[in-house]
Amino acid sequence: MYYRDTWAEIDLDRIQHNVSRIKQHSGFEHLYAVVKANAYGHGDVEVARAALEAGADMLSVAFLDEALHLRRAIKDVPILVMGAIRPSDLAVAAEMDIDVTAHDLQWIEAALCYEGKPVNLHLKVDTGMHRIGMTDAESVRQACELIDSHSQLNRVGLFTHFATADAQTRAGYDAQMQQLERLTAEVDLSTFRYVHLSNSAALLRFGVQSGANTGRLGISMYGLPPSHDFELPFELEQAFSLHSRITQVKTLEAGSAVSYGGTFVADEPVRIGVIPIGYADGWLRYHQGRSVEIHGKRYPIVGRICMDQCMIQIDDSVQVGDQVDLLNDNLRVEHAARDLKTISYEIVCSISDRVPRVYKRGGVVVGERNERFRPDLTGDV
Ligand SMILES: *Cc1c(COP(=O)(O)O)cnc(C)c1O
């Protein structure tokens, strides 16, 4: 239930199409659906369920809080926290069956003090991203030895992350693969149940690496290309769209200015439509000057975007109550990203939880979530 005329639609069929197509294309035995950041703004539980139905068999997130939120709704599926958790939170993770990341020796030494229900660890090796992870072969060897010496710590996974898998050339990817070989020279990869290297870009481009059996699928599951620097092997289906409705229509005389700062001045009489979406919804001020779509026709956003509303220059065909599309199959997320000099990830992650999410299957609404005001899910998605 929500009481405003702005909403995001998430097409779960499209998410499922993308997951099964990419899984088949990549050839991996296992697949993590990456649902961090509330599934890139799409809704963590709904997307996770859809992805699991479509062939993903595990879930991964960035933080323990995200994992716990998912675990309340989804049992019996491995959930991995890819970021670093505090060693003092191992009991919380173990209690809820959350797998965690062991990213350096100091962390592992602290984890050796953990006594409690056994917890699954994935070793993170840094092959060139230079974020978290172990950077030398001796640390990786010692990490394995230390973990194996402690019966409460299960060594189940090993992973790394590519910094440039979406770049024009594969040189950076190849260099990281070589570094992985060096870093794991002293360990037997077959002693890990899951070895996972690939993000979306690598899943789309590079196939199964020797020793690996799992990938981590993020952005492309949502139907968004990781970058414009390589050609997709097949089309992805954008699952996210953003909509509003005209609140008021007014005609302004020539010379009238619109919104804060009066940055738009009408040079002739103009018709203006107001819509209830603004930068507090993640519809950032940078969108000023870009277009929206009403009945399939484009109209520009004029004047500054306010916190809760913005204005559109319309024609006589537009009336109060008409639907306004801000993102759809024509107004694509990747185009908004290009216009704002950013990436698709940032566009969808920015849409705040003040905007209700409506879920569709087979073209009909199957549920909705209004996280900010009514955190319970309604419907059967
Ligand atoms: C976010 C993330 C992913 C997913 O990356 P995409 O480019 O969205 O596919 C995979 N692995 C790690 C460690 C991540 O942080």
Side-chain angles (χ1 to χ4, degrees):
M1 202 59 193
Y2 55 96
Y3 299 101
R4 71 181 287 201
D5 277 336
T6 294
W7 70 101
E9 280 178 20
I10 288 88
D11 187 326
L12 295 172
D13 293 335
R14 291 184 172 195
I15 288 178
Q16 296 197 307
H17 168 89
N18 297 325
V19 169
S20 71
R21 189 78 183 76
I22 296 168
K23 180 165 187 211
Q24 180 194 15
H25 170 83
S26 71
F28 281 105
E29 183 186 347
H30 300 287
L31 187 67
Y32 277 107
V34 181
V35 291
K36 60 188 177 186
N38 198 26
Y40 296 42
H42 293 60
D44 57 356
V45 173
E46 296 81 354
V47 168
R49 286 191 180 133
L52 290 167
E53 256 178 51
D57 54 351
M58 299 185 283
L59 304 170
S60 69
V61 291
F63 300 118
L64 182 54
D65 290 290
E66 296 180 318
L68 296 173
H69 186 257
L70 271 177
R71 179 57 88 213
R72 279 196 286 276
I74 298 175
K75 316 289 177 200
D76 302 327
V77 171
I79 302 177
L80 169 66
V81 177
M82 301 179 290
I85 76 158
R86 298 186 288 238
S88 55
D89 292 333
L90 275 168
V92 177
E95 191 50 45
M96 300 303 284
D97 268 320
I98 306 297
D99 298 359
V100 304
T101 292
H103 65 286
D104 73 3
L105 281 179
Q106 198 187 336
W107 187 93
I108 292 169
E109 275 153 18
L112 292 176
C113 303
Y114 169 67
E115 295 293 341
K117 193 176 156 191
V119 61
N120 291 341
L121 301 187
H122 290 237
L123 284 193
K124 179 74 188 285
V125 296
D126 174 11
T127 55
M129 173 75 178
H130 298 150
R131 200 162 62 180
I132 59 169
M134 283 166 268
T135 52
D136 64 281
E138 178 52 20
S139 296
V140 176
R141 190 195 63 74
Q142 272 188 44
C144 293
E145 205 174 276
L146 288 173
I147 293 168
D148 292 349
S149 74
H150 194 66
S151 58
Q152 269 81 36
L153 304 178
N154 301 329
R155 179 166 62 81
V156 301
L158 181 139
F159 71 116
T160 194
H161 190 51
F162 296 117
T164 58
D166 62 349
Q168 260 173 23
T169 72
R170 57 177 292 164
Y173 169 82
D174 289 335
Q176 284 196 253
M177 283 304 298
Q178 281 163 18
Q179 182 64 357
L180 180 74
E181 223 167 276
R182 280 181 224 119
L183 293 184
T184 57
E186 307 280 316
V187 302
D188 180 359
L189 283 187
S190 73
T191 61
F192 294 90
R193 200 181 311 156
Y194 305 110
V195 174
H196 45 105
L197 318 174
S198 294
N199 54 6
S200 292
L203 285 165
L204 290 166
R205 296 175 87 182
F206 301 131
V208 176
Q209 304 91 351
S210 128
N213 61 356
T214 308
R216 299 184 306 276
L217 175 60
I219 194 76
S220 295
M221 158 168 65
Y222 306 98
L224 305 174
S227 78
H228 294 285
D229 292 334
F230 71 94
E231 205 175 320
L232 295 172
F234 44 83
E235 269 197 41
L236 298 168
E237 298 185 350
Q238 178 180 306
F240 194 95
S241 60
L242 183 63
H243 313 277
S244 191
R245 282 186 196 284
I246 300 279
T247 309
Q248 189 181 3
V249 166
K250 53 184 58 170
T251 302
L252 301 179
E253 298 170 5
S256 306
V258 172
S259 194
Y260 292 120
T263 58
F264 172 84
V265 180
D267 53 9
E268 56 185 347
V270 290
R271 230 162 108 87
I272 295 291
V274 184
I275 55 172
I277 182 170
Y279 62 77
D281 300 304
W283 194 248
L284 305 177
R285 284 168 38 129
Y286 303 103
H287 289 286
Q288 179 176 343
R290 298 189 61 253
S291 291
V292 300
E293 224 180 70
I294 305 169
H295 309 310
K297 194 172 163 195
R298 298 271 172 108
Y299 300 92
I301 299 170
V302 294
R304 292 218 175 114
I305 292 171
C306 310
M307 187 183 289
D308 321 296
Q309 303 178 75
C310 61
M311 276 63 87
I312 305 161
Q313 186 178 344
I314 52 175
D315 58 25
D316 289 341
S317 70
V318 177
Q319 307 296 329
V320 168
D322 284 355
Q323 180 170 323
V324 179
D325 292 351
L326 298 104
L327 295 170
N328 64 17
D329 286 345
N330 304 318
L331 300 161
R332 297 183 59 83
V333 172
E334 60 197 276
H335 297 152
R338 200 160 48 191
D339 292 348
L340 269 60
K341 299 186 170 53
T342 182
I343 52 177
S344 295
Y345 302 72
E346 202 174 43
I347 300 292
V348 284
C349 288
S350 297
I351 304 304
S352 76
D353 66 3
R354 198 170 69 165
V355 177
R357 268 63 168 175
V358 172
Y359 294 92
K360 285 192 157 175
R361 279 184 194 268
V364 302
V365 173
V366 291
E368 65 182 49
R369 187 187 287 276
N370 188 358
E371 189 74 29
R372 175 80 178 81
F373 304 108
R374 284 200 47 193
D376 47 314
L377 174 71
T378 53
D380 180 26
V381 298

